[in-house]
Amino acid sequence: MKNILITGVSRKGGIGANLVHRFLKEGYKVYAHGSTDYDQKMGYDDAGDLYQDQFVRLKDCDLSIADNVQSLINELAPYEISPVSYTHLTLPTTPYV
């Protein structure tokens, strides 16, 4: 089974959550990280509202802080995930008018 870490997953209606579902459908083991505090500050009503029965939800934190990045790496360590390859994903875009 392939593994993927998706950051930016902190609400059902966001891009990150949509990516989680896309990769689950493709058979990936998904590890999801987000920052609910950020989404709450931005005023999203569904911030922190995630259904996580099919993926591993990692501890919320702000990844712009170096210590938090190290904490995320440490949290992933027991899962024995190694960054062997990268998946490039192209999403359809709508040009700005």
Side-chain angles (χ1 to χ4, degrees), residues 12-80:
K12 284 183 185 178
I15 295 169
N18 286 308
L19 288 172
V20 166
H21 291 290
R22 179 174 178 169
F23 281 99
L24 284 171
K25 285 180 185 176
E26 292 182 23
Y28 282 76
K29 174 77 175 186
V30 177
Y31 300 85
H33 171 271
S35 180
T36 301
D37 288 344
Y38 173 81
D39 282 350
Q40 287 172 338
K41 288 176 188 173
M42 297 303 293
Y44 293 111
D45 293 335
D46 60 346
D49 185 18
L50 289 170
Y51 33 87
Q52 55 190 71
D53 56 332
Q54 298 177 345
F55 62 94
V56 177
R57 175 73 174 145
L58 303 168
K59 187 179 125 189
D60 273 16
C61 65
D62 180 351
L63 292 180
S64 68
I65 300 169
D67 287 345
N68 289 346
V69 174
Q70 186 59 53
S71 293
L72 179 63
I73 292 168
N74 294 343
E75 187 178 359
L76 286 168
Y79 297 106
E80 298 181 1

Side-chain angles (χ1 to χ4, degrees), residues 76-89:
L76 286 168
Y79 297 106
E80 298 181 1
I81 301 169
S82 60
V84 177
S85 65
Y86 297 91
T87 300
H88 298 280
L89 178 65

